[in-house]
Amino acid sequence: MSLQEQFDAAAAKVKSLKALPSDADLLELYALFKQATVGDADPANKPGFLDLKGKAKFEAWSNKKGTSKEDAQKAYIAKVESLVASIGLQ
Protein backbone atom coordinates (compact mmCIF):
# COMPACT_ATOMS: atom_id res chain seq x y z
CA MET A 1 0.00 0.00 0.00
CA SER A 2 1.43 3.39 -0.98
CA LEU A 3 1.92 6.22 1.50
CA GLN A 4 -0.95 8.14 -0.13
CA GLU A 5 -3.25 5.11 0.24
CA GLN A 6 -2.25 4.72 3.90
CA PHE A 7 -2.89 8.45 4.44
CA ASP A 8 -6.33 8.23 2.80
CA ALA A 9 -7.18 5.17 4.91
CA ALA A 10 -6.11 6.98 8.09
CA ALA A 11 -8.27 9.99 7.14
CA ALA A 12 -11.24 7.63 6.77
CA LYS A 13 -10.50 5.98 10.14
CA VAL A 14 -10.68 9.34 11.94
CA LYS A 15 -14.36 9.54 11.04
CA SER A 16 -14.96 6.14 12.67
CA LEU A 17 -13.44 6.78 16.10
CA LYS A 18 -15.67 5.76 19.02
CA ALA A 19 -15.29 9.12 20.74
CA LEU A 20 -14.16 12.60 19.84
CA PRO A 21 -10.42 13.09 20.46
CA SER A 22 -9.23 15.88 22.75
CA ASP A 23 -8.97 19.42 21.40
CA ALA A 24 -5.18 19.10 21.35
CA ASP A 25 -5.40 15.89 19.34
CA LEU A 26 -7.89 17.45 16.94
CA LEU A 27 -5.60 20.43 16.38
CA GLU A 28 -2.66 18.10 15.73
CA LEU A 29 -4.71 16.08 13.24
CA TYR A 30 -5.87 19.24 11.51
CA ALA A 31 -2.37 20.69 11.27
CA LEU A 32 -0.84 17.49 9.92
CA PHE A 33 -3.68 16.98 7.43
CA LYS A 34 -3.40 20.53 6.10
CA GLN A 35 0.40 20.32 5.87
CA ALA A 36 0.12 17.01 4.00
CA THR A 37 -2.55 18.20 1.58
CA VAL A 38 -1.89 21.94 1.14
CA GLY A 39 1.66 22.58 2.33
CA ASP A 40 2.85 25.51 4.43
CA ALA A 41 0.20 27.86 5.83
CA ASP A 42 -0.04 31.22 4.04
CA PRO A 43 0.28 34.11 6.54
CA ALA A 44 -1.97 36.19 4.27
CA ASN A 45 -4.85 33.85 5.18
CA LYS A 46 -4.42 34.22 8.95
CA PRO A 47 -7.83 34.47 10.65
CA GLY A 48 -8.92 37.65 12.38
CA PHE A 49 -8.23 38.43 16.03
CA LEU A 50 -11.75 37.50 17.16
CA ASP A 51 -11.82 34.13 15.36
CA LEU A 52 -10.31 32.16 18.23
CA LYS A 53 -11.01 28.71 16.80
CA GLY A 54 -9.68 29.66 13.37
CA LYS A 55 -6.64 31.29 14.94
CA ALA A 56 -5.84 28.17 16.99
CA LYS A 57 -6.14 25.97 13.89
CA PHE A 58 -3.99 28.33 11.84
CA GLU A 59 -1.29 28.50 14.51
CA ALA A 60 -1.21 24.71 14.85
CA TRP A 61 -0.81 24.44 11.08
CA SER A 62 1.83 27.19 10.98
CA ASN A 63 3.89 25.23 13.53
CA LYS A 64 4.28 22.50 10.88
CA LYS A 65 5.92 24.91 8.42
CA GLY A 66 8.72 23.28 6.50
CA THR A 67 7.48 19.73 7.11
CA SER A 68 7.45 17.77 3.85
CA LYS A 69 4.22 16.29 2.51
CA GLU A 70 5.56 12.77 3.11
CA ASP A 71 6.66 13.49 6.67
CA ALA A 72 3.31 15.12 7.45
CA GLN A 73 1.49 12.10 6.01
CA LYS A 74 3.60 9.70 8.08
CA ALA A 75 3.00 11.74 11.26
CA TYR A 76 -0.74 11.91 10.52
CA ILE A 77 -0.93 8.13 10.02
CA ALA A 78 0.97 7.54 13.28
CA LYS A 79 -1.31 9.96 15.16
CA VAL A 80 -4.44 8.28 13.83
CA GLU A 81 -3.10 4.84 14.75
CA SER A 82 -2.37 6.00 18.31
CA LEU A 83 -5.90 7.42 18.59
CA VAL A 84 -7.40 4.19 17.26
CA ALA A 85 -5.39 2.26 19.86
CA SER A 86 -6.53 4.51 22.72
CA ILE A 87 -10.12 5.33 21.67
CA GLY A 88 -11.04 2.50 19.31
CA LEU A 89 -13.25 2.41 16.25
CA GLN A 90 -17.03 2.20 16.08
Side-chain angles (χ1 to χ4, degrees), residues 3 5-11 13-14 17 21 25 28-29 32-33 36 64 69-87:
L3 182 59
E5 290 170 334
Q6 292 175 31
F7 178 76
D8 294 340
K13 280 183 186 177
V14 166
L17 291 172
D25 287 336
E28 181 74 6
L29 287 171
L32 290 169
F33 186 86
K64 303 298 179 198
K69 175 181 179 174
E70 293 78 17
D71 287 345
Q73 286 179 325
K74 290 175 187 173
Y76 182 86
I77 293 164
K79 183 68 176 176
V80 170
E81 291 305 321
S82 74
L83 289 172
V84 167
S86 63
I87 297 174

PDB file of all heavy atoms in Angstrom, residues 3 5-11 13-14 17 21 25 28-29 32-33 36 64 69-87:
ATOM      1  N   LEU A   3       2.067   5.261   0.405  1.00  0.00           N
ATOM      2  CA  LEU A   3       1.917   6.219   1.497  1.00  0.00           C
ATOM      3  C   LEU A   3       0.613   6.998   1.342  1.00  0.00           C
ATOM      4  O   LEU A   3      -0.097   7.223   2.321  1.00  0.00           O
ATOM      5  CB  LEU A   3       3.122   7.162   1.541  1.00  0.00           C
ATOM      6  CG  LEU A   3       3.125   8.199   2.662  1.00  0.00           C
ATOM      7  CD1 LEU A   3       3.080   7.519   4.026  1.00  0.00           C
ATOM      8  CD2 LEU A   3       4.345   9.089   2.551  1.00  0.00           C
ATOM      9  N   GLU A   5      -2.137   6.003  -0.099  1.00  0.00           N
ATOM     10  CA  GLU A   5      -3.253   5.109   0.238  1.00  0.00           C
ATOM     11  C   GLU A   5      -3.373   4.935   1.755  1.00  0.00           C
ATOM     12  O   GLU A   5      -4.480   4.916   2.301  1.00  0.00           O
ATOM     13  CB  GLU A   5      -3.067   3.752  -0.446  1.00  0.00           C
ATOM     14  CG  GLU A   5      -3.255   3.807  -1.947  1.00  0.00           C
ATOM     15  CD  GLU A   5      -2.828   2.519  -2.651  1.00  0.00           C
ATOM     16  OE1 GLU A   5      -1.957   1.790  -2.120  1.00  0.00           O
ATOM     17  OE2 GLU A   5      -3.353   2.260  -3.734  1.00  0.00           O
ATOM     18  N   GLN A   6      -2.235   4.825   2.435  1.00  0.00           N
ATOM     19  CA  GLN A   6      -2.249   4.722   3.898  1.00  0.00           C
ATOM     20  C   GLN A   6      -2.815   6.003   4.515  1.00  0.00           C
ATOM     21  O   GLN A   6      -3.585   5.948   5.477  1.00  0.00           O
ATOM     22  CB  GLN A   6      -0.839   4.472   4.425  1.00  0.00           C
ATOM     23  CG  GLN A   6      -0.263   3.132   4.085  1.00  0.00           C
ATOM     24  CD  GLN A   6       1.181   3.001   4.548  1.00  0.00           C
ATOM     25  OE1 GLN A   6       1.580   3.580   5.548  1.00  0.00           O
ATOM     26  NE2 GLN A   6       1.977   2.242   3.803  1.00  0.00           N
ATOM     27  N   PHE A   7      -2.407   7.147   3.957  1.00  0.00           N
ATOM     28  CA  PHE A   7      -2.886   8.445   4.439  1.00  0.00           C
ATOM     29  C   PHE A   7      -4.402   8.552   4.255  1.00  0.00           C
ATOM     30  O   PHE A   7      -5.122   8.954   5.172  1.00  0.00           O
ATOM     31  CB  PHE A   7      -2.165   9.567   3.682  1.00  0.00           C
ATOM     32  CG  PHE A   7      -2.623  10.950   4.057  1.00  0.00           C
ATOM     33  CD1 PHE A   7      -2.217  11.525   5.253  1.00  0.00           C
ATOM     34  CD2 PHE A   7      -3.447  11.675   3.216  1.00  0.00           C
ATOM     35  CE1 PHE A   7      -2.632  12.806   5.603  1.00  0.00           C
ATOM     36  CE2 PHE A   7      -3.866  12.958   3.555  1.00  0.00           C
ATOM     37  CZ  PHE A   7      -3.452  13.522   4.753  1.00  0.00           C
ATOM     38  N   ASP A   8      -4.891   8.184   3.076  1.00  0.00           N
ATOM     39  CA  ASP A   8      -6.326   8.230   2.802  1.00  0.00           C
ATOM     40  C   ASP A   8      -7.101   7.298   3.733  1.00  0.00           C
ATOM     41  O   ASP A   8      -8.179   7.645   4.221  1.00  0.00           O
ATOM     42  CB  ASP A   8      -6.616   7.878   1.337  1.00  0.00           C
ATOM     43  CG  ASP A   8      -6.074   8.920   0.360  1.00  0.00           C
ATOM     44  OD1 ASP A   8      -5.821  10.076   0.782  1.00  0.00           O
ATOM     45  OD2 ASP A   8      -5.902   8.579  -0.822  1.00  0.00           O
ATOM     46  N   ALA A   9      -6.544   6.122   3.997  1.00  0.00           N
ATOM     47  CA  ALA A   9      -7.180   5.169   4.907  1.00  0.00           C
ATOM     48  C   ALA A   9      -7.230   5.728   6.330  1.00  0.00           C
ATOM     49  O   ALA A   9      -8.237   5.584   7.033  1.00  0.00           O
ATOM     50  CB  ALA A   9      -6.441   3.835   4.888  1.00  0.00           C
ATOM     51  N   ALA A  10      -6.148   6.385   6.746  1.00  0.00           N
ATOM     52  CA  ALA A  10      -6.110   6.985   8.085  1.00  0.00           C
ATOM     53  C   ALA A  10      -7.141   8.105   8.194  1.00  0.00           C
ATOM     54  O   ALA A  10      -7.824   8.228   9.217  1.00  0.00           O
ATOM     55  CB  ALA A  10      -4.706   7.514   8.383  1.00  0.00           C
ATOM     56  N   ALA A  11      -7.279   8.909   7.132  1.00  0.00           N
ATOM     57  CA  ALA A  11      -8.268   9.990   7.138  1.00  0.00           C
ATOM     58  C   ALA A  11      -9.679   9.427   7.260  1.00  0.00           C
ATOM     59  O   ALA A  11     -10.536  10.017   7.930  1.00  0.00           O
ATOM     60  CB  ALA A  11      -8.135  10.832   5.870  1.00  0.00           C
ATOM     61  N   LYS A  13     -10.394   6.542   8.786  1.00  0.00           N
ATOM     62  CA  LYS A  13     -10.500   5.981  10.141  1.00  0.00           C
ATOM     63  C   LYS A  13     -10.885   7.041  11.170  1.00  0.00           C
ATOM     64  O   LYS A  13     -11.604   6.745  12.122  1.00  0.00           O
ATOM     65  CB  LYS A  13      -9.176   5.337  10.573  1.00  0.00           C
ATOM     66  CG  LYS A  13      -8.931   3.976  10.033  1.00  0.00           C
ATOM     67  CD  LYS A  13      -7.625   3.426  10.608  1.00  0.00           C
ATOM     68  CE  LYS A  13      -7.254   2.114   9.984  1.00  0.00           C
ATOM     69  NZ  LYS A  13      -5.975   1.607  10.482  1.00  0.00           N
ATOM     70  N   VAL A  14     -10.391   8.262  10.986  1.00  0.00           N
ATOM     71  CA  VAL A  14     -10.680   9.337  11.944  1.00  0.00           C
ATOM     72  C   VAL A  14     -12.183   9.517  12.100  1.00  0.00           C
ATOM     73  O   VAL A  14     -12.682   9.771  13.195  1.00  0.00           O
ATOM     74  CB  VAL A  14     -10.008  10.662  11.494  1.00  0.00           C
ATOM     75  CG1 VAL A  14     -10.551  11.848  12.266  1.00  0.00           C
ATOM     76  CG2 VAL A  14      -8.520  10.572  11.680  1.00  0.00           C
ATOM     77  N   LEU A  17     -13.855   6.920  14.700  1.00  0.00           N
ATOM     78  CA  LEU A  17     -13.442   6.779  16.098  1.00  0.00           C
ATOM     79  C   LEU A  17     -14.671   6.705  17.005  1.00  0.00           C
ATOM     80  O   LEU A  17     -15.687   7.344  16.735  1.00  0.00           O
ATOM     81  CB  LEU A  17     -12.553   7.958  16.506  1.00  0.00           C
ATOM     82  CG  LEU A  17     -11.169   8.015  15.865  1.00  0.00           C
ATOM     83  CD1 LEU A  17     -10.480   9.329  16.205  1.00  0.00           C
ATOM     84  CD2 LEU A  17     -10.309   6.846  16.310  1.00  0.00           C
ATOM     85  N   PRO A  21     -11.728  12.883  19.819  1.00  0.00           N
ATOM     86  CA  PRO A  21     -10.424  13.094  20.461  1.00  0.00           C
ATOM     87  C   PRO A  21     -10.391  14.436  21.197  1.00  0.00           C
ATOM     88  O   PRO A  21     -11.257  15.297  20.990  1.00  0.00           O
ATOM     89  CB  PRO A  21      -9.441  13.108  19.281  1.00  0.00           C
ATOM     90  CG  PRO A  21     -10.164  12.444  18.154  1.00  0.00           C
ATOM     91  CD  PRO A  21     -11.610  12.753  18.372  1.00  0.00           C
ATOM     92  N   ASP A  25      -5.539  16.908  20.372  1.00  0.00           N
ATOM     93  CA  ASP A  25      -5.397  15.886  19.336  1.00  0.00           C
ATOM     94  C   ASP A  25      -6.052  16.330  18.032  1.00  0.00           C
ATOM     95  O   ASP A  25      -5.519  16.102  16.951  1.00  0.00           O
ATOM     96  CB  ASP A  25      -5.999  14.559  19.795  1.00  0.00           C
ATOM     97  CG  ASP A  25      -5.157  13.845  20.841  1.00  0.00           C
ATOM     98  OD1 ASP A  25      -3.929  14.090  20.897  1.00  0.00           O
ATOM     99  OD2 ASP A  25      -5.718  13.052  21.606  1.00  0.00           O
ATOM    100  N   GLU A  28      -3.814  18.791  16.316  1.00  0.00           N
ATOM    101  CA  GLU A  28      -2.661  18.100  15.733  1.00  0.00           C
ATOM    102  C   GLU A  28      -3.066  17.402  14.431  1.00  0.00           C
ATOM    103  O   GLU A  28      -2.361  17.490  13.423  1.00  0.00           O
ATOM    104  CB  GLU A  28      -2.100  17.083  16.737  1.00  0.00           C
ATOM    105  CG  GLU A  28      -0.898  16.325  16.245  1.00  0.00           C
ATOM    106  CD  GLU A  28       0.385  17.141  16.202  1.00  0.00           C
ATOM    107  OE1 GLU A  28       0.407  18.296  16.670  1.00  0.00           O
ATOM    108  OE2 GLU A  28       1.378  16.622  15.680  1.00  0.00           O
ATOM    109  N   LEU A  29      -4.216  16.730  14.453  1.00  0.00           N
ATOM    110  CA  LEU A  29      -4.710  16.076  13.238  1.00  0.00           C
ATOM    111  C   LEU A  29      -4.950  17.087  12.131  1.00  0.00           C
ATOM    112  O   LEU A  29      -4.575  16.874  10.984  1.00  0.00           O
ATOM    113  CB  LEU A  29      -6.005  15.305  13.529  1.00  0.00           C
ATOM    114  CG  LEU A  29      -5.871  14.014  14.319  1.00  0.00           C
ATOM    115  CD1 LEU A  29      -7.248  13.489  14.700  1.00  0.00           C
ATOM    116  CD2 LEU A  29      -5.109  12.969  13.526  1.00  0.00           C
ATOM    117  N   LEU A  32      -1.549  18.476  10.738  1.00  0.00           N
ATOM    118  CA  LEU A  32      -0.844  17.491   9.919  1.00  0.00           C
ATOM    119  C   LEU A  32      -1.572  17.245   8.606  1.00  0.00           C
ATOM    120  O   LEU A  32      -0.944  17.115   7.548  1.00  0.00           O
ATOM    121  CB  LEU A  32      -0.672  16.176  10.690  1.00  0.00           C
ATOM    122  CG  LEU A  32       0.313  16.227  11.850  1.00  0.00           C
ATOM    123  CD1 LEU A  32       0.201  14.972  12.710  1.00  0.00           C
ATOM    124  CD2 LEU A  32       1.739  16.408  11.344  1.00  0.00           C
ATOM    125  N   PHE A  33      -2.903  17.193   8.658  1.00  0.00           N
ATOM    126  CA  PHE A  33      -3.678  16.983   7.434  1.00  0.00           C
ATOM    127  C   PHE A  33      -3.475  18.137   6.457  1.00  0.00           C
ATOM    128  O   PHE A  33      -3.237  17.926   5.267  1.00  0.00           O
ATOM    129  CB  PHE A  33      -5.171  16.825   7.771  1.00  0.00           C
ATOM    130  CG  PHE A  33      -6.014  16.473   6.579  1.00  0.00           C
ATOM    131  CD1 PHE A  33      -6.173  15.150   6.198  1.00  0.00           C
ATOM    132  CD2 PHE A  33      -6.632  17.456   5.821  1.00  0.00           C
ATOM    133  CE1 PHE A  33      -6.942  14.822   5.081  1.00  0.00           C
ATOM    134  CE2 PHE A  33      -7.398  17.139   4.710  1.00  0.00           C
ATOM    135  CZ  PHE A  33      -7.551  15.809   4.336  1.00  0.00           C
ATOM    136  N   ALA A  36      -0.026  18.097   4.967  1.00  0.00           N
ATOM    137  CA  ALA A  36       0.124  17.008   4.000  1.00  0.00           C
ATOM    138  C   ALA A  36      -0.623  17.275   2.699  1.00  0.00           C
ATOM    139  O   ALA A  36      -0.196  16.832   1.635  1.00  0.00           O
ATOM    140  CB  ALA A  36      -0.360  15.697   4.619  1.00  0.00           C
ATOM    141  N   LYS A  64       3.792  23.606  11.714  1.00  0.00           N
ATOM    142  CA  LYS A  64       4.285  22.498  10.885  1.00  0.00           C
ATOM    143  C   LYS A  64       5.054  23.004   9.666  1.00  0.00           C
ATOM    144  O   LYS A  64       5.460  22.218   8.817  1.00  0.00           O
ATOM    145  CB  LYS A  64       3.109  21.628  10.404  1.00  0.00           C
ATOM    146  CG  LYS A  64       2.257  21.058  11.499  1.00  0.00           C
ATOM    147  CD  LYS A  64       3.034  20.134  12.389  1.00  0.00           C
ATOM    148  CE  LYS A  64       2.151  19.602  13.504  1.00  0.00           C
ATOM    149  NZ  LYS A  64       2.927  19.061  14.603  1.00  0.00           N
ATOM    150  N   LYS A  69       5.513  16.977   2.659  1.00  0.00           N
ATOM    151  CA  LYS A  69       4.224  16.293   2.505  1.00  0.00           C
ATOM    152  C   LYS A  69       4.317  14.868   3.041  1.00  0.00           C
ATOM    153  O   LYS A  69       3.443  14.419   3.785  1.00  0.00           O
ATOM    154  CB  LYS A  69       3.823  16.280   1.021  1.00  0.00           C
ATOM    155  CG  LYS A  69       2.570  15.483   0.731  1.00  0.00           C
ATOM    156  CD  LYS A  69       2.221  15.478  -0.745  1.00  0.00           C
ATOM    157  CE  LYS A  69       0.981  14.641  -0.976  1.00  0.00           C
ATOM    158  NZ  LYS A  69       0.500  14.705  -2.355  1.00  0.00           N
ATOM    159  N   GLU A  70       5.389  14.170   2.688  1.00  0.00           N
ATOM    160  CA  GLU A  70       5.557  12.774   3.105  1.00  0.00           C
ATOM    161  C   GLU A  70       5.699  12.657   4.613  1.00  0.00           C
ATOM    162  O   GLU A  70       5.095  11.768   5.225  1.00  0.00           O
ATOM    163  CB  GLU A  70       6.764  12.146   2.400  1.00  0.00           C
ATOM    164  CG  GLU A  70       6.601  11.986   0.906  1.00  0.00           C
ATOM    165  CD  GLU A  70       6.791  13.277   0.106  1.00  0.00           C
ATOM    166  OE1 GLU A  70       7.358  14.263   0.653  1.00  0.00           O
ATOM    167  OE2 GLU A  70       6.354  13.320  -1.066  1.00  0.00           O
ATOM    168  N   ASP A  71       6.494  13.535   5.215  1.00  0.00           N
ATOM    169  CA  ASP A  71       6.664  13.488   6.673  1.00  0.00           C
ATOM    170  C   ASP A  71       5.358  13.817   7.386  1.00  0.00           C
ATOM    171  O   ASP A  71       5.031  13.216   8.415  1.00  0.00           O
ATOM    172  CB  ASP A  71       7.766  14.444   7.123  1.00  0.00           C
ATOM    173  CG  ASP A  71       9.158  13.938   6.770  1.00  0.00           C
ATOM    174  OD1 ASP A  71       9.303  12.739   6.444  1.00  0.00           O
ATOM    175  OD2 ASP A  71      10.105  14.743   6.822  1.00  0.00           O
ATOM    176  N   ALA A  72       4.600  14.772   6.857  1.00  0.00           N
ATOM    177  CA  ALA A  72       3.308  15.117   7.452  1.00  0.00           C
ATOM    178  C   ALA A  72       2.337  13.949   7.328  1.00  0.00           C
ATOM    179  O   ALA A  72       1.594  13.653   8.265  1.00  0.00           O
ATOM    180  CB  ALA A  72       2.738  16.369   6.788  1.00  0.00           C
ATOM    181  N   GLN A  73       2.363  13.267   6.182  1.00  0.00           N
ATOM    182  CA  GLN A  73       1.493  12.099   6.007  1.00  0.00           C
ATOM    183  C   GLN A  73       1.855  11.004   6.997  1.00  0.00           C
ATOM    184  O   GLN A  73       0.971  10.412   7.627  1.00  0.00           O
ATOM    185  CB  GLN A  73       1.586  11.567   4.573  1.00  0.00           C
ATOM    186  CG  GLN A  73       0.873  12.418   3.553  1.00  0.00           C
ATOM    187  CD  GLN A  73       1.008  11.868   2.148  1.00  0.00           C
ATOM    188  OE1 GLN A  73       2.045  11.307   1.780  1.00  0.00           O
ATOM    189  NE2 GLN A  73      -0.029  12.046   1.353  1.00  0.00           N
ATOM    190  N   LYS A  74       3.144  10.738   7.150  1.00  0.00           N
ATOM    191  CA  LYS A  74       3.597   9.699   8.084  1.00  0.00           C
ATOM    192  C   LYS A  74       3.200  10.044   9.515  1.00  0.00           C
ATOM    193  O   LYS A  74       2.739   9.177  10.276  1.00  0.00           O
ATOM    194  CB  LYS A  74       5.110   9.517   7.986  1.00  0.00           C
ATOM    195  CG  LYS A  74       5.563   8.873   6.699  1.00  0.00           C
ATOM    196  CD  LYS A  74       7.082   8.839   6.615  1.00  0.00           C
ATOM    197  CE  LYS A  74       7.555   8.359   5.261  1.00  0.00           C
ATOM    198  NZ  LYS A  74       9.011   8.470   5.107  1.00  0.00           N
ATOM    199  N   ALA A  75       3.367  11.309   9.907  1.00  0.00           N
ATOM    200  CA  ALA A  75       3.003  11.736  11.261  1.00  0.00           C
ATOM    201  C   ALA A  75       1.493  11.640  11.467  1.00  0.00           C
ATOM    202  O   ALA A  75       1.030  11.250  12.544  1.00  0.00           O
ATOM    203  CB  ALA A  75       3.492  13.160  11.509  1.00  0.00           C
ATOM    204  N   TYR A  76       0.726  11.993  10.444  1.00  0.00           N
ATOM    205  CA  TYR A  76      -0.742  11.909  10.520  1.00  0.00           C
ATOM    206  C   TYR A  76      -1.173  10.448  10.706  1.00  0.00           C
ATOM    207  O   TYR A  76      -2.000  10.144  11.569  1.00  0.00           O
ATOM    208  CB  TYR A  76      -1.357  12.494   9.248  1.00  0.00           C
ATOM    209  CG  TYR A  76      -2.872  12.510   9.239  1.00  0.00           C
ATOM    210  CD1 TYR A  76      -3.570  13.570   9.800  1.00  0.00           C
ATOM    211  CD2 TYR A  76      -3.595  11.476   8.666  1.00  0.00           C
ATOM    212  CE1 TYR A  76      -4.955  13.604   9.795  1.00  0.00           C
ATOM    213  CE2 TYR A  76      -4.977  11.494   8.660  1.00  0.00           C
ATOM    214  CZ  TYR A  76      -5.660  12.563   9.219  1.00  0.00           C
ATOM    215  OH  TYR A  76      -7.040  12.575   9.215  1.00  0.00           O
ATOM    216  N   ILE A  77      -0.598   9.560   9.918  1.00  0.00           N
ATOM    217  CA  ILE A  77      -0.932   8.133  10.025  1.00  0.00           C
ATOM    218  C   ILE A  77      -0.605   7.619  11.421  1.00  0.00           C
ATOM    219  O   ILE A  77      -1.416   6.928  12.043  1.00  0.00           O
ATOM    220  CB  ILE A  77      -0.176   7.325   8.945  1.00  0.00           C
ATOM    221  CG1 ILE A  77      -0.693   7.696   7.550  1.00  0.00           C
ATOM    222  CG2 ILE A  77      -0.294   5.826   9.194  1.00  0.00           C
ATOM    223  CD1 ILE A  77       0.219   7.267   6.413  1.00  0.00           C
ATOM    224  N   ALA A  78       0.565   7.973  11.941  1.00  0.00           N
ATOM    225  CA  ALA A  78       0.975   7.536  13.282  1.00  0.00           C
ATOM    226  C   ALA A  78       0.022   8.089  14.343  1.00  0.00           C
ATOM    227  O   ALA A  78      -0.351   7.374  15.290  1.00  0.00           O
ATOM    228  CB  ALA A  78       2.405   7.973  13.567  1.00  0.00           C
ATOM    229  N   LYS A  79      -0.388   9.349  14.205  1.00  0.00           N
ATOM    230  CA  LYS A  79      -1.308   9.960  15.164  1.00  0.00           C
ATOM    231  C   LYS A  79      -2.655   9.250  15.134  1.00  0.00           C
ATOM    232  O   LYS A  79      -3.237   8.959  16.192  1.00  0.00           O
ATOM    233  CB  LYS A  79      -1.471  11.457  14.845  1.00  0.00           C
ATOM    234  CG  LYS A  79      -2.340  12.201  15.824  1.00  0.00           C
ATOM    235  CD  LYS A  79      -1.677  12.280  17.172  1.00  0.00           C
ATOM    236  CE  LYS A  79      -2.477  13.110  18.133  1.00  0.00           C
ATOM    237  NZ  LYS A  79      -1.875  13.097  19.474  1.00  0.00           N
ATOM    238  N   VAL A  80      -3.162   8.974  13.947  1.00  0.00           N
ATOM    239  CA  VAL A  80      -4.440   8.278  13.827  1.00  0.00           C
ATOM    240  C   VAL A  80      -4.345   6.890  14.454  1.00  0.00           C
ATOM    241  O   VAL A  80      -5.247   6.477  15.195  1.00  0.00           O
ATOM    242  CB  VAL A  80      -4.900   8.192  12.355  1.00  0.00           C
ATOM    243  CG1 VAL A  80      -6.095   7.258  12.210  1.00  0.00           C
ATOM    244  CG2 VAL A  80      -5.245   9.578  11.819  1.00  0.00           C
ATOM    245  N   GLU A  81      -3.261   6.182  14.186  1.00  0.00           N
ATOM    246  CA  GLU A  81      -3.103   4.838  14.752  1.00  0.00           C
ATOM    247  C   GLU A  81      -3.053   4.879  16.285  1.00  0.00           C
ATOM    248  O   GLU A  81      -3.614   4.011  16.946  1.00  0.00           O
ATOM    249  CB  GLU A  81      -1.859   4.146  14.187  1.00  0.00           C
ATOM    250  CG  GLU A  81      -1.980   3.786  12.709  1.00  0.00           C
ATOM    251  CD  GLU A  81      -3.192   2.929  12.374  1.00  0.00           C
ATOM    252  OE1 GLU A  81      -3.544   2.032  13.160  1.00  0.00           O
ATOM    253  OE2 GLU A  81      -3.799   3.175  11.316  1.00  0.00           O
ATOM    254  N   SER A  82      -2.410   5.903  16.846  1.00  0.00           N
ATOM    255  CA  SER A  82      -2.369   6.002  18.307  1.00  0.00           C
ATOM    256  C   SER A  82      -3.760   6.318  18.863  1.00  0.00           C
ATOM    257  O   SER A  82      -4.131   5.819  19.929  1.00  0.00           O
ATOM    258  CB  SER A  82      -1.348   7.054  18.756  1.00  0.00           C
ATOM    259  OG  SER A  82      -1.815   8.367  18.527  1.00  0.00           O
ATOM    260  N   LEU A  83      -4.532   7.124  18.144  1.00  0.00           N
ATOM    261  CA  LEU A  83      -5.904   7.415  18.594  1.00  0.00           C
ATOM    262  C   LEU A  83      -6.794   6.189  18.482  1.00  0.00           C
ATOM    263  O   LEU A  83      -7.628   5.939  19.358  1.00  0.00           O
ATOM    264  CB  LEU A  83      -6.488   8.573  17.785  1.00  0.00           C
ATOM    265  CG  LEU A  83      -5.897   9.952  18.071  1.00  0.00           C
ATOM    266  CD1 LEU A  83      -6.423  10.985  17.076  1.00  0.00           C
ATOM    267  CD2 LEU A  83      -6.209  10.393  19.499  1.00  0.00           C
ATOM    268  N   VAL A  84      -6.627   5.431  17.413  1.00  0.00           N
ATOM    269  CA  VAL A  84      -7.400   4.187  17.258  1.00  0.00           C
ATOM    270  C   VAL A  84      -7.076   3.241  18.402  1.00  0.00           C
ATOM    271  O   VAL A  84      -7.973   2.595  18.969  1.00  0.00           O
ATOM    272  CB  VAL A  84      -7.118   3.533  15.882  1.00  0.00           C
ATOM    273  CG1 VAL A  84      -7.652   2.111  15.834  1.00  0.00           C
ATOM    274  CG2 VAL A  84      -7.708   4.375  14.759  1.00  0.00           C
ATOM    275  N   ALA A  85      -5.800   3.145  18.769  1.00  0.00           N
ATOM    276  CA  ALA A  85      -5.386   2.262  19.860  1.00  0.00           C
ATOM    277  C   ALA A  85      -5.968   2.714  21.200  1.00  0.00           C
ATOM    278  O   ALA A  85      -6.337   1.868  22.031  1.00  0.00           O
ATOM    279  CB  ALA A  85      -3.863   2.203  19.929  1.00  0.00           C
ATOM    280  N   SER A  86      -6.056   4.033  21.432  1.00  0.00           N
ATOM    281  CA  SER A  86      -6.534   4.510  22.724  1.00  0.00           C
ATOM    282  C   SER A  86      -8.058   4.686  22.785  1.00  0.00           C
ATOM    283  O   SER A  86      -8.657   4.486  23.834  1.00  0.00           O
ATOM    284  CB  SER A  86      -5.843   5.830  23.096  1.00  0.00           C
ATOM    285  OG  SER A  86      -6.168   6.842  22.173  1.00  0.00           O
ATOM    286  N   ILE A  87      -8.670   5.058  21.670  1.00  0.00           N
ATOM    287  CA  ILE A  87     -10.116   5.329  21.667  1.00  0.00           C
ATOM    288  C   ILE A  87     -10.892   4.164  21.067  1.00  0.00           C
ATOM    289  O   ILE A  87     -11.965   3.804  21.541  1.00  0.00           O
ATOM    290  CB  ILE A  87     -10.438   6.631  20.873  1.00  0.00           C
ATOM    291  CG1 ILE A  87      -9.790   7.835  21.552  1.00  0.00           C
ATOM    292  CG2 ILE A  87     -11.938   6.833  20.740  1.00  0.00           C
ATOM    293  CD1 ILE A  87      -9.923   9.126  20.767  1.00  0.00           C
TER     294      ILE A  87
END
